[in-house]
Amino acid sequence: MLPLASAMPAFALPVAAGTGSDGLIKSSQLPQRPVLLMLLCSHCPFVKHIEAELTRLEQDYGQQVSLLGVASNSWITHPQDGADALANQARRNHWHFPYLLDQKQTLAKALQAACTPEFYLFAPDRKGIETLRYRGQLDASRPGNDRALDGHDLRAALDAVLKGNAPNPEQHPSLGCNIKWHPGEEPQWFR
């Protein structure tokens, strides 16, 4: 997992048409407030399982936190995660946050991402640099288990950051579908 206090990787990624805003989003142009990068896709059953909670998260935190979906799956191997499918997913769930297209998979690699869904919460430090405060799971709910889908882990981290506190350093990695890397371009931690 990416170490806590790591600086947010710089990025400039296009937004899938029909999701949030259009155009290009650059990390350097984001407002000076917490940023939640959510590695998502449209086909993964683990992502589908949490879609309703992502809608609630946006309603509860979208005015205080920059929420950004990040689609890093290879369209070579998984065309079902293409821009049209992402736009349909966003419309179906009433998401207004931008869904970034990480088709060169550079952001996913910089985050040391492993799966969808996965969450990375950054917040400005004393120098104004966005640093990692939380990385891991939404909560303990999974398809087929009886745990509540309530965003407990991520909400606790968001609440702590918004109050100026450090989230609990005991953070649980996400479980889900492996990121679908371009053939032959899998990062070392995936091999």
Side-chain angles (χ1 to χ4, degrees), residues 16-28:
T19 68
S21 60
D22 291 325
L24 192 72
I25 291 190
K26 297 179 181 181
S27 54
S28 61

Side-chain angles (χ1 to χ4, degrees), residues 116-186:
T116 57
E118 198 161 25
F119 302 90
Y120 297 85
L121 176 61
F122 295 87
D125 64 11
R126 291 182 185 152
K127 297 178 183 176
I129 298 168
E130 295 279 355
T131 58
L132 185 63
R133 308 304 174 86
Y134 178 84
R135 76 280 194 250
Q137 68 179 8
L138 177 72
D139 57 32
S141 182
R142 307 284 184 266
N145 77 8
D146 294 329
R147 304 293 294 268
L149 177 62
D150 58 9
H152 174 77
D153 295 54
L154 182 55
R155 284 176 178 272
L158 285 161
D159 290 341
V161 163
L162 290 171
K163 290 177 184 169
N165 300 323
N168 184 343
E170 185 179 326
Q171 299 174 6
H172 303 284
S174 283
L175 294 176
C177 298
N178 289 336
I179 293 201
K180 310 310 184 220
W181 303 104
H182 296 310
E185 297 183 29
E186 300 87 357

